[in-house]
Amino acid sequence: MNNLDILNESKKYMPGGVNSPVRVFNGIDANPPIIKKGKGVSIWDEEGNEYIDFVLAWGPMILGHCNDKVVKAIEEVSREALAFGAPTKLELELSKIMCETLDYVDMIRMVNSGTEATMSAVKLARGYTNRNKIVKFGGCYHGHFDGFLVQAGSGVLTAGIPGSAGVPESSIENTLVAVYNSIESIEEVFKAHGKDIAAVIIEPIAGNMGVVPSNKEFLQRLRELCTEYGTLLILDEVMSGFRVAYKGAASLYGVEPDLVTYAKIMGGGLPCGAYGGKKEIMEKLSPLGPVYQAGTMSGNPVVMAAGVATLKEMHGNPKYYDHIEEVGAYLQKGIEVLSEKYNVSIRVNRVGGMMTMFFTSALKVEQYKDVRTCDEDLFKRYFVHMLKEGFNLPPSQYESMFLSTEHKKEHMDKFLKALESFLIKESK
Ligand SMILES: *Cc1c(COP(=O)(O)O)cnc(C)c1O
């Protein structure tokens, strides 16, 4: 069966042929390849075509696909420990690594996805503060939990829908939405509702409306407001954690969260998530406290082993982050030069190995409204061109590209060459 046959057959058994909506190409004139295997920066589809991968499973594969050390750890543990639903030393090991190497995590709870991490962190914040309201920012995505599906990013934004069906009004009546990177907006929200706000959740470096870093004064002001009103600040580092720096965005901004959420990289390619933070807050979780949250598979030994192998490798090799920054800067510069040369406006936002090329003539992309100025049709033509040239890219203007330790300058040169042939075509 070729790619298309498999996709068509899949559509009979799975809605849309996929298990997560972003995997099909929304409005793009191409079909997703069916991926069979991956190694390093490369992935191969069922027809044997090779692609240089800039999606990396939407972030997790920072060591490239099927890193030898991670695979070995999984192999070894899986021979004697799949699941027990009982305490294991492996979960202690990953928890200890995270608490000891991250600045703002005294205690941690393992879960199975980013969504589980964020929704549980919000519940904990509500239980701790005895308040109901939460604040999110337009364009940010925190998973598919009902309470977050208001002006959400990622697939919701790509599909151009305001939220999701099946979310009762009562699930979102306590969700307030503020404007990302607007001090004025967040001050207004606090002025009106401050005493009722349990938590503010934010992607400190947004990746789900394309990459839009928050600016420092904004994040600092947000921290001040949270402290002033007794509101918990939740940094959602599901994407940025262990990616923009080992210690995540929190370390780049020096802004102290009350709770932090992780997933993606920390699971080394297996399903994983975690939330952690200040001891006095975490101790409100059951079995110690009244906030109930549980999981049959939470802290699964195989997942923990993949996480330990990945985090040890990343923590032990700070030069990996230097390397990613170096190839990232090289790629960004190359894109900017080509954009100028062929007179096609592209704004590149990048923090380390997280990057979006916005096809817009806006001078800066700092807010959701700037993101919305992009030429989506141009993006779609670019995407199809790059796919044909052998590049696996996120199929949306509103997602981030990712780099791994395995991306080298030669891959960037190939990318730039393919981009140039696209721009030549467009500028004719
Ligand atoms: C991916 C992501 C999530 C959701 O994680 P899942 O594992 O897909 O549930 C939440 N927050 C952010 C910032 C993300 O990038």
Side-chain angles (χ1 to χ4, degrees):
M1 285 205 286
N2 64 20
N3 287 330
L4 194 56
D5 290 340
I6 298 170
L7 182 68
N8 286 335
E9 177 106 347
S10 298
K11 284 180 181 169
K12 289 189 209 158
Y13 302 103
M14 297 177 268
V18 289
N19 280 306
S20 193
V22 293
R23 294 176 195 174
V24 283
F25 299 164
N26 195 299
I28 287 174
D29 194 19
N31 287 304
I34 309 298
I35 306 305
K36 185 174 183 188
K37 61 177 186 178
K39 186 72 191 169
V41 290
S42 290
I43 55 174
W44 287 266
D45 67 18
E46 289 285 346
E47 297 174 10
N49 302 307
E50 181 178 354
Y51 306 85
I52 298 176
D53 189 16
F54 287 87
V55 178
L56 299 178
W58 302 86
M61 312 313 293
I62 195 165
L63 288 166
H65 290 281
C66 293
N67 172 275
D68 290 341
K69 287 183 182 159
V70 179
V71 171
K72 186 159 173 270
I74 292 171
E75 275 173 359
E76 279 173 5
V77 168
S78 64
R79 258 182 238 122
E80 56 179 40
L82 289 181
F84 305 111
T88 64
K89 233 171 116 181
L90 274 164
E91 58 189 352
L92 165 62
E93 199 179 345
L94 185 57
S95 302
K96 201 169 164 188
I97 288 174
M98 291 179 73
C99 292
E100 285 181 351
T101 60
L102 298 167
D103 292 336
Y104 307 113
V105 180
D106 304 333
M107 291 181 114
I108 197 154
R109 168 69 57 91
M110 298 294 165
V111 290
N112 305 290
S113 70
T115 299
E116 245 192 280
T118 54
M119 65 189 251
S120 306
V122 161
K123 180 161 65 179
L124 176 57
R126 283 173 165 159
Y128 179 79
T129 57
N130 286 312
R131 298 174 181 181
N132 286 332
K133 291 200 187 304
I134 57 168
V135 179
K136 78 174 287 282
F137 293 89
C140 285
Y141 179 71
H142 305 290
H144 62 82
F145 169 58
D146 286 5
F148 296 142
L149 289 176
V150 194
Q151 285 188 34
S154 191
V156 183
L157 178 53
T158 304
I161 51 179
S164 169
V167 176
E169 196 55 38
S170 59
S171 297
I172 50 174
E173 68 189 12
N174 284 310
T175 304
L176 305 165
V177 183
V179 178
Y180 196 78
N181 268 341
S182 166
I183 289 180
E184 207 176 38
S185 166
I186 191 65
E187 282 179 342
E188 249 168 50
V189 170
F190 267 97
K191 212 166 157 195
H193 304 281
K195 290 271 177 279
D196 300 319
I197 302 172
V200 177
I201 186 165
I202 185 168
E203 287 181 75
I205 295 170
N208 288 290
M209 51 175 144
V211 175
V212 181
S214 57
N215 67 51
K216 199 161 185 172
E217 301 81 73
F218 165 74
L219 214 53
Q220 280 169 345
R221 182 70 187 125
L222 175 60
R223 175 66 271 181
E224 277 171 23
L225 286 165
C226 287
T227 306
E228 188 182 329
Y229 284 89
T231 295
L232 302 190
L233 176 61
I234 305 172
L235 293 187
D236 182 355
E237 298 239 42
V238 165
M239 186 186 289
S240 54
F242 312 106
R243 162 137 311 272
V244 295
Y246 178 88
K247 295 182 183 184
S251 70
L252 299 185
Y253 288 89
V255 164
E256 182 174 350
D258 299 294
L259 293 171
V260 202
T261 56
Y262 297 98
K264 297 195 170 122
I265 288 175
M266 66 160 288
L270 298 189
C272 196
Y275 59 108
K278 299 192 168 129
K279 188 163 183 273
E280 57 158 322
I281 303 171
M282 293 302 289
E283 285 184 340
K284 292 285 184 245
L285 275 178
S286 56
L288 291 183
V291 178
Y292 191 76
Q293 188 271 314
T296 302
M297 284 294 167
S298 297
N300 176 275
V302 184
V303 178
M304 295 298 102
V308 168
T310 301
L311 296 195
K312 268 191 179 163
E313 187 68 9
M314 294 311 294
H315 188 255
N317 293 287
K319 66 174 193 307
Y320 282 162
Y321 289 98
D322 299 339
H323 168 78
I324 289 173
E325 171 58 29
E326 199 181 305
V327 289
Y330 180 78
L331 180 63
Q332 175 171 4
K333 182 79 203 156
I335 294 164
E336 286 166 351
V337 167
L338 290 175
S339 157
E340 182 111 331
K341 181 169 172 195
Y342 294 100
N343 202 20
V344 175
S345 303
I346 304 172
R347 296 284 160 260
V348 182
N349 278 3
R350 184 184 63 84
V351 185
M354 242 173 103
M355 185 184 102
T356 300
M357 297 164 56
F358 292 101
F359 287 91
T360 176
S361 49
L363 293 178
K364 283 181 179 162
V365 181
E366 290 182 331
Q367 288 191 345
Y368 184 60
K369 67 172 167 45
D370 306 325
V371 169
R372 297 318 304 259
T373 62
C374 290
D375 183 341
E376 288 193 35
D377 290 328
L378 181 58
F379 173 83
K380 287 171 185 174
R381 292 197 296 278
Y382 150 81
F383 176 83
V384 172
H385 175 89
M386 296 302 279
L387 184 69
K388 283 191 188 131
E389 295 284 322
F391 294 89
N392 188 50
L393 304 175
S396 164
Q397 176 68 92
Y398 311 115
E399 301 282 0
S400 172
M401 293 166 69
F402 296 103
L403 299 177
S404 73
T405 56
E406 299 307 293
H407 282 84
K408 304 279 149 58
K409 274 197 178 145
E410 64 187 81
H411 304 117
M412 305 302 136
D413 286 332
K414 281 186 186 160
F415 180 96
L416 292 169
K417 203 169 154 230
L419 176 64
E420 181 160 25
S421 65
F422 172 70
L423 295 176
I424 289 171
K425 227 171 28 180
E426 283 297 321
S427 58
K428 269 185 188 149

